[in-house]
Amino acid sequence: MRGEELKHITRFDSSLIRALVNLFTSHAQIAFVLVSATYLINGFSLPSVEKNVIILASAIYLVLVYIYLGVTNHTFVFTDQTLEVENRLLFFRMRQSFPLRQIKQVLFRHDWTETAGKEIKIGIFRTAVRWTMHLFFPFDYKWIEITTTRSFRFYCFGLDYDYFDNEGPLFEDLFKALKSRGIRVGWTNKKYSPYYDGLWTSTELKAPDKNQSPKYFSKP
């Protein structure tokens, strides 16, 4: 049986390189804003910083980046019988298998950049909030939540959405693969989510058990 199952495998890899590039890009923008503000406030000059402080800060930063990558990047392996979730990064290695017949529903996090600041009526404030959120929250924020007898949420920042001609497999491809097997799938926001076809939304989910993860609508 295992040999037959291995004949049909699709991997949805959460690329560490892609996640790292996006993270560094976001942090570079923040650094530019902070350095520019310091430069102006300090009389058009930057304060001197000791070399040891720079080395220590860089080391701490790299450790935090490594932890961030380990927590927010999971790869999904879809077979004829199971949906497996794995993390191959050292110190974060894990592999969890979900038999398809035991999966009750799978919730996909919509692209938060589509809805950021939508509730703010005044245009200038809405734009300010959107730019601020883009600085401090990753563009690639996404997760899926798999529900069996309880819910399991897995982040996958290095797995692309279907935009900018990104190569697959994509986040939406996993949605379609599960849907094609008759598994109950949906998005956290039906209006702004691609491939929504009226299946269901988070408001139509089965009432959560006490062991399920809290709040389907995470911010951002």
Side-chain angles (χ1 to χ4, degrees):
M1 175 63 71
R2 184 64 179 173
E4 289 297 320
E5 178 182 316
L6 292 177
K7 290 182 180 180
H8 304 91
I9 292 180
T10 303
R11 294 184 61 86
F12 299 86
D13 289 305
S14 190
S15 170
L16 293 176
I17 295 178
R18 185 180 299 118
L20 191 62
V21 168
N22 289 337
L23 180 65
F24 283 161
T25 300
S26 177
H27 287 178
Q29 295 179 56
I30 297 173
F32 176 78
V33 171
L34 294 177
V35 170
S36 298
T38 302
Y39 181 78
L40 294 174
I41 294 172
N42 201 48
F44 300 100
S45 65
L46 294 176
S48 59
V49 181
E50 293 185 7
K51 182 178 180 180
N52 291 340
V53 174
I54 296 176
I55 294 175
L56 178 60
S58 299
I60 293 175
Y61 172 74
L62 292 176
V63 170
L64 292 177
V65 165
Y66 188 86
I67 295 173
Y68 174 90
L69 292 176
V71 170
T72 61
N73 284 277
H74 294 86
T75 288
F76 302 90
V77 183
F78 188 68
T79 75
D80 289 340
Q81 304 295 327
T82 64
L83 175 62
E84 298 180 350
V85 184
E86 66 178 34
N87 189 323
R88 294 168 290 174
L89 197 63
L90 185 63
F91 304 125
F92 293 92
R93 287 176 180 166
M94 57 81 71
R95 189 177 185 91
Q96 189 166 358
S97 180
F98 297 91
L100 297 183
R101 65 180 182 278
Q102 295 180 11
I103 298 177
K104 296 180 180 179
Q105 56 202 15
V106 181
L107 182 68
F108 285 70
R109 183 62 170 88
H110 79 279
D111 184 354
W112 72 271
T113 62
E114 295 289 339
T115 53
K118 288 288 184 179
E119 68 281 1
I120 300 176
K121 303 301 182 182
I122 302 176
I124 188 171
F125 292 126
R126 181 170 61 248
T127 300
V129 168
R130 287 178 64 88
W131 275 103
T132 301
M133 291 179 69
H134 279 269
L135 282 176
F136 292 98
F137 292 99
F139 285 88
D140 48 358
Y141 180 91
K142 62 180 70 69
W143 48 256
I144 74 168
E145 189 162 84
I146 302 169
T147 299
T148 55
T149 55
R150 55 187 292 257
S151 290
F152 304 84
R153 182 174 295 182
F154 301 99
Y155 294 88
C156 43
F157 288 7
L159 183 60
D160 273 337
Y161 284 113
D162 184 16
Y163 48 42
F164 302 132
D165 297 324
N166 293 327
E167 296 182 0
L170 302 166
F171 195 55
E172 292 90 344
D173 292 334
L174 179 56
F175 176 93
K176 291 186 287 185
L178 291 169
K179 175 186 171 184
S180 69
R181 296 300 303 274
I183 293 175
R184 187 178 171 87
V185 291
W187 299 89
T188 53
N189 188 301
K190 66 179 181 180
K191 184 176 180 181
Y192 295 97
S193 296
Y195 296 106
Y196 177 77
D197 58 4
L199 288 179
W200 56 278
T201 65
S202 60
T203 57
E204 297 167 335
L205 287 172
K206 179 181 177 182
D209 300 327
K210 63 179 181 179
N211 290 328
Q212 287 187 321
S213 58
K215 301 292 184 183
Y216 286 113
F217 286 91
S218 295
K219 295 290 185 179

